[in-house]
Amino acid sequence: MAGQRISIASPQELVPIDRGQMREIVRAVLCEEGISEAEISLAFVDNPAIHQLNKRYLGHDEPTDVLSFPMSDPGSKRLTGELVIGAELAKIEAESRGHDVQAELALYVIHGLLHLCGYDDKSPSDAQKIRERERYYLRLLSLPDITPKD
């Protein structure tokens, strides 16, 4: 899609990032969500960095999987935002749950994008909706369903 710009930063020493796969995930989710113009930045960080951001912006004193920072106004023609993805946490989770770290990173990217697209997970019914969308995108992208079983 010509109207989309995607930039990716990564702590390569922790987890190798399949940049092509991450771009494809972003494009697929945005396209399916009906977003033709977007500028999304992905930053893959270690646990101390995402812990600090989670505490600063959400008041949660722990590392997390992904933080979504919308930068465009709701209803804007162009979606702009940043995802900060916990690459170190993805590696730990993937190892403990017995699947590939790239699949875990894909899930985090999908989850963060859904937040940028307006999905929420604060109530049980909203959490169920976002999980259903995550499963949909994992299937669409031929990735395993590694969504947490709530």
Side-chain angles (χ1 to χ4, degrees):
M1 298 192 161
Q4 297 178 347
R5 193 172 96 202
I6 304 161
S7 58
I8 299 175
S10 167
Q12 291 293 324
E13 65 280 2
L14 290 175
V15 177
I17 307 298
D18 184 338
R19 292 169 182 262
Q21 181 186 40
M22 296 303 130
R23 285 185 185 96
E24 180 55 33
I25 291 166
V26 172
R27 287 185 182 105
V29 171
L30 294 180
C31 182
E32 286 287 313
E33 293 297 323
I35 297 168
S36 59
E37 291 188 44
E39 183 174 339
I40 306 297
S41 174
L42 306 180
F44 294 86
V45 300
D46 61 15
N47 279 351
I50 203 158
H51 184 158
Q52 179 184 25
L53 292 169
N54 197 24
K55 186 174 182 177
R56 179 177 179 185
Y57 291 103
L58 297 179
H60 302 147
D61 194 9
E62 62 190 5
T64 191
D65 50 5
V66 61
L67 295 169
S68 302
F69 295 98
M71 297 176 181
S72 51
D73 294 325
S76 175
K77 183 178 177 181
R78 181 178 180 84
L79 178 65
T80 306
E82 181 173 13
L83 300 181
V84 180
I85 296 122
E88 185 175 3
L89 185 61
K91 181 178 181 185
I92 293 166
E93 283 294 310
E95 287 173 357
S96 74
R97 294 175 62 210
H99 57 257
D100 183 62
V101 69
Q102 296 303 313
E104 191 76 18
L105 289 170
L107 177 62
Y108 295 0
V109 171
I110 291 166
H111 186 85
L113 287 167
L114 290 170
H115 278 301
L116 290 180
C117 291
Y119 291 85
D120 201 351
D121 55 6
K122 292 183 180 171
S123 75
S125 65
D126 287 342
Q128 182 180 353
K129 286 177 193 170
I130 204 167
R131 286 287 182 237
E132 288 170 6
R133 294 306 287 168
E134 289 168 354
R135 287 184 186 99
Y136 170 79
Y137 287 114
L138 289 170
R139 279 191 308 273
L140 180 73
L141 294 158
S142 299
L143 294 168
D145 181 359
I146 59 163
T147 56
K149 309 301 180 219
D150 300 324

